[in-house]
Amino acid sequence: MELLCIQSQEHPQLPQAELKAVIECENIQTEIEVICEGLVILKGIAEDKIDEYYRILTRRLGYTHEVHEIIVKSSIEKLAEDVSNVKWSDYISETFAVRVKRFHSEISTVETERNVGALILSNCDDIKVKLREPNSLVRLVAFESDVYVAVEKIKLNKKHFEDSKPHKRPFFYPGSMSPKLARCMVNLSRVTAGDLLLDPFCGTGGILIEAGLIGCKVLGSDIYWKMKNGTAINLEHYGITDYRTFNLDVRELKMYEKVAGVVTDPPYGISTSTGDIEGNDIFKEFFHAIYDNMKDDAYLCMASPHYVDLKPMADEVGFEIVEQYGIKMHRSLTRIISVIRKKLD
């Protein structure tokens, strides 16, 4: 069986990197086929695992907009025949809508939606078309001359990423990371539900919110008391209760329980304050402080400016950089997202 993922195209690499990280850490048995940017097929999924994997992906992913179960792969020429051969009563409950998404295809969106909807109605009793909030969504994804006929069983909560933007939280401070990027970074750290995740520069708690929402236990610290308190306010607002927050300098960090993942956005630039640490030393100090507080198989995912070379600092402590992705912020700054782990012996 197969799942179809419609991904964000706001970054050329992060959506696929996030998907691969979740597949890895959740031990999802599948093969990834990239059709084009924004369209990925997960192939070879066992029938008894399809619903479990579907739930995991829709619960976790940030840069994937939709996940659908593929019913049949067709073509523009054979679409009517293939749609007519589907037993739609197995997939549709009471009301449905048909929606077409095109990737490099000349298929007619409105005409195809109308024609396929009519075919489904003629082959299935006791159902109705409902264009707004139907019980079932039939998604046709056209790539060139191919058409994937699929059904949406579980919606991703895309509204969350809009409603939880930094300025909409009870405690707000300028410069906070977007929730979608924060979720992606949490996923890149390969943590799973029940794991302990640390953000030692927690700020307003955006990263910890996203980690808590996928079931992690979260721990945040910040050198500033108001940030530590603000993080707690925001976590409570989103119903996250398995957390601890501390007001301390990262150099004083001594964990009783080693963490399964570290995700953070250390302060940098002229608009931020880093206590008594100057320049790039904050990154060097951070690497030294965090190393012994991480499990041996833990990942660190962090943001940094493009002008800071993390590699010699990471090498000095015993880390290795395994992935890096650049995000253009403005003309003079590119944010680098690095995935780092302890060097294997």
Side-chain angles (χ1 to χ4, degrees):
M1 303 186 75
E2 298 178 335
L3 290 173
L4 178 149
C5 299
I6 298 175
Q7 299 191 308
S8 166
Q9 296 181 60
E10 59 199 276
H11 191 278
Q13 298 168 301
L14 279 174
Q16 289 183 32
E18 179 190 33
L19 176 61
K20 290 175 181 177
V22 170
I23 287 171
E24 177 187 329
C25 68
E26 294 284 359
N27 197 29
I28 293 175
Q29 302 300 308
T30 187
E31 298 175 12
I32 301 174
E33 180 182 358
V34 179
I35 305 301
C36 64
E37 184 177 339
L39 182 59
V40 176
I41 308 293
L42 304 183
K43 308 178 72 172
I45 299 173
E47 185 174 357
D48 63 343
K49 291 290 187 180
I50 191 81
D51 289 341
E52 175 190 346
Y53 292 171
Y54 203 143
R55 284 192 297 272
I56 291 169
L57 296 172
T58 52
R59 176 175 59 86
R60 291 197 58 150
L61 293 172
Y63 280 119
T64 294
H65 292 163
E66 300 176 22
V67 180
H68 304 286
E69 182 181 326
I70 296 176
I71 299 171
V72 63
K73 180 181 177 182
S74 186
S75 64
I76 295 174
E77 295 76 18
K78 291 187 60 183
L79 183 60
E81 177 186 348
D82 288 336
V83 167
S84 298
N85 289 331
V86 174
K87 187 181 177 184
W88 287 104
S89 58
D90 291 344
Y91 302 100
I92 294 177
S93 172
E94 297 182 10
T95 62
F96 77 101
V98 178
R99 292 286 181 264
V100 173
K101 177 78 173 177
R102 299 186 301 179
F103 292 86
H104 315 294
S105 175
E106 299 300 319
I107 194 171
S108 171
T109 300
V110 175
E111 181 183 354
T112 302
E113 289 174 354
R114 185 184 301 119
N115 292 343
V116 169
L119 287 170
I120 293 173
L121 282 172
S122 68
N123 290 340
C124 194
D125 297 328
D126 301 322
I127 62 169
K128 296 180 181 179
V129 172
K130 185 181 180 185
L131 299 182
R132 295 191 62 181
E133 298 184 357
N135 291 341
S136 306
L137 174 65
V138 177
R139 173 60 90 180
L140 306 182
V141 180
F143 170 71
E144 297 179 347
S145 61
D146 293 331
V147 182
Y148 298 89
V149 181
V151 63
E152 182 180 67
K153 290 185 172 181
I154 309 172
K155 278 186 174 294
L156 276 105
N157 186 11
K158 291 185 288 185
K159 192 171 182 290
H160 159 73
F161 296 109
E162 179 63 34
D163 292 346
S164 62
K165 285 184 175 179
H167 67 280
K168 297 183 179 181
R169 300 171 191 157
F171 177 75
F172 169 68
Y173 195 82
S176 300
M177 179 177 288
S178 74
K180 192 180 289 187
L181 177 57
R183 174 68 65 89
C184 177
M185 289 177 64
V186 169
N187 284 327
L188 288 173
S189 76
R190 275 78 170 168
V191 290
T192 56
D195 283 345
L196 180 62
L197 180 137
L198 167 69
D199 181 355
F201 302 98
C202 64
T204 64
I207 287 169
L208 300 181
I209 290 169
E210 298 307 317
L213 289 174
I214 67 166
C216 291
K217 299 178 290 184
V218 296
L219 176 65
S221 66
D222 202 283
I223 197 169
Y224 296 105
W225 177 88
K226 70 176 181 179
M227 294 299 188
K228 172 258 186 191
N229 274 20
T231 288
I233 291 169
N234 284 341
L235 289 170
E236 293 282 353
H237 177 75
Y238 288 97
I240 298 162
T241 57
D242 198 348
Y243 74 88
R244 288 172 288 161
T245 57
F246 299 97
N247 172 213
L248 56 79
D249 187 313
V250 67
R251 292 169 293 184
E252 300 169 1
L253 193 63
K254 295 289 186 293
M255 300 287 297
Y256 292 109
E257 177 186 354
K258 292 190 176 185
V259 300
V262 178
V263 181
T264 196
D265 183 15
Y268 50 84
I270 58 175
S271 64
T272 60
S273 178
T274 58
D276 64 350
I277 311 176
E278 296 184 356
N280 298 345
D281 286 346
I282 189 170
F283 297 99
K284 185 182 296 185
E285 297 272 9
F286 164 67
F287 281 134
H288 280 281
I290 206 68
Y291 186 87
D292 288 333
N293 290 292
M294 295 172 59
K295 292 182 177 180
D296 288 341
D297 59 349
Y299 280 82
L300 158 65
C301 185
M302 63 179 290
S304 62
H306 68 275
Y307 51 79
V308 175
D309 185 3
L310 296 179
K311 189 176 186 309
M313 304 182 212
D315 287 344
E316 177 184 316
V317 179
F319 284 116
E320 62 177 339
I321 298 173
V322 294
E323 302 172 45
Q324 285 188 312
Y325 308 97
I327 302 173
K328 189 76 171 178
M329 304 302 292
H330 47 74
R331 187 170 60 182
S332 60
L333 177 64
T334 297
R335 176 186 264 165
I336 304 299
I337 306 301
S338 301
V339 181
I340 301 167
R341 67 184 175 195
K342 290 183 177 181
K343 289 182 179 178
L344 303 175
D345 294 331

